Amino acid sequence: MDANAHSIGGSLRSATQYLAACGVDDPRADAEIILAHVLDVPRQKLIARDRDTLPEPARLKFNRLIARRGDRREPVAYIVRSAGFFGLELAVAPCVLIPRPATETLVERAIACRPSRFADIGTGSGAIAVAILTRLPKATAVATDIEDTALYVARRNAQAGRVLERLDLRQGDLFAPLGGERFDLIASNPPYVAESEFAALQPELRHEPRAALVAGPEGTEAIRRIVAGALEHLVPGGRLLVEVGAGQAPAAREFALRADFHDVTCHKDLQGIERVMEAC
């Protein structure tokens, strides 16, 4: 056993070894994020406190949370109830998808379009809408989600980001809450996993809401519905931005052309994957 097992440094080393044995991809980072959460300090301050004794209540809580990460493979974001996205720290809960770096490609493109009013379809945590609004201080938005629990999380994030007065949160399926309204831009990160692929996903993903991941037998069902319904909610010249899964860009492009969009392009994420379809 580590001679300083009850120190901050010793606890981190033990937790890192345990998480690595459980197959966690980045065990040291996860251990640090969880301990910083337990101690309510910035993660970078843990290094300076390496030899400090970890108080017994904090050590017990840390061990419980590390067990959730290792034994159950629960995502770190759900354990600490927050996730970083586009320079923001967003609240998350098991009722919403954890925002990911790939979606920042969509946000960047949306900001470049500079809409005065946009819609975020299937908002989940509100990550897309809140990130765009924080960078476009004159813009307003409507965000929809079928789950009232997701809208509660989105509201918290909008309040924390000081954009709630410019964000109208509405419950309902896809475009249903929009009525006859039209927007400069529609953005969406819909489910795009095929049912047959779900069982093979990483253990962490199986903790996330299935409805936010799985679209149907093909994986493109939600993308097709969004593309088909978007034009009637766009002003002339308005743009549609949809996140798609790896290898789905050709199908999404075909959906857009069939729906009478004329200018269709796909943008790659940082991994070089065609991740965001843009159509107008």
Side-chain angles (χ1 to χ4, degrees):
M1 177 179 287
D2 193 318
N4 298 305
H6 289 184
S7 68
I8 286 176
S11 296
L12 282 173
R13 287 188 287 276
S14 296
T16 299
Q17 292 170 0
Y18 163 73
L19 292 179
C22 291
V24 171
D25 286 341
D26 199 348
R28 176 69 185 198
D30 287 1
E32 289 179 356
I33 291 169
I34 292 171
L35 186 54
H37 167 73
V38 169
L39 296 176
D40 194 23
V41 299
R43 180 179 163 190
Q44 58 269 27
K45 287 194 174 182
L46 294 177
I47 297 175
R49 298 179 57 181
D50 186 81
R51 296 187 179 183
D52 289 1
T53 298
L54 187 62
E56 183 72 4
R59 186 173 65 84
L60 293 175
K61 182 177 180 180
F62 177 59
N63 289 342
R64 286 197 301 271
L65 298 185
I66 287 293
R68 286 170 57 186
R69 181 70 186 103
D71 289 349
R72 296 171 52 188
R73 297 294 290 273
E74 190 173 344
V76 172
Y78 288 158
I79 293 172
V80 303
R81 296 284 174 161
S82 69
F85 179 77
F86 210 76
L88 304 170
E89 196 64 30
L90 299 175
V92 296
C95 62
V96 298
L97 200 68
I98 298 168
R100 289 168 168 76
T103 305
E104 295 185 2
T105 302
L106 184 152
V107 171
E108 289 170 352
R109 185 58 201 152
I111 292 169
C113 293
R114 303 195 66 81
S116 60
R117 184 165 170 78
F118 68 92
D120 176 15
I121 305 302
T123 192
S125 67
I128 290 173
V130 172
I132 295 170
L133 289 171
T134 58
R135 298 297 180 91
L136 298 178
K138 294 184 179 180
T140 61
V142 174
T144 72
D145 203 285
I146 198 168
E147 298 291 342
D148 58 350
T149 50
L151 292 174
Y152 172 78
V153 176
R155 181 175 296 276
R156 284 184 58 194
N157 286 320
Q159 287 176 327
R162 299 181 180 179
V163 298
L164 183 58
E165 68 280 3
R166 294 186 285 126
L167 179 60
D168 185 358
L169 295 162
R170 302 179 189 176
Q171 186 176 4
D173 185 38
L174 300 183
F175 300 105
L178 302 184
E181 293 176 70
R182 291 179 178 265
F183 301 84
D184 303 318
L185 180 141
I186 292 173
S188 182
N189 176 17
Y192 51 71
V193 174
E195 289 175 355
S196 60
E197 297 172 337
F198 184 72
L201 294 177
Q202 289 180 315
E204 287 82 356
L205 285 169
R206 293 198 286 273
H207 286 271
E208 300 193 52
R210 194 178 192 277
L213 289 168
V214 179
E218 301 298 324
T220 55
E221 288 84 352
I223 297 170
R224 184 188 294 113
R225 289 182 62 202
I226 289 168
V227 172
L231 268 180
E232 65 181 277
H233 295 288
L234 286 169
V235 301
R239 294 182 178 272
L240 170 66
L241 297 173
V242 182
E243 181 171 328
V244 301
Q248 293 179 338
R253 186 182 292 109
E254 182 64 25
F255 296 155
L257 293 174
R258 289 180 184 176
D260 289 333
F261 285 97
H262 301 294
D263 185 4
V264 183
T265 57
C266 291
H267 303 280
K268 294 181 179 180
D269 63 17
L270 292 177
Q271 293 182 313
I273 298 170
E274 287 189 312
R275 184 64 68 183
V276 178
M277 185 204 68
E278 178 176 349
C280 65

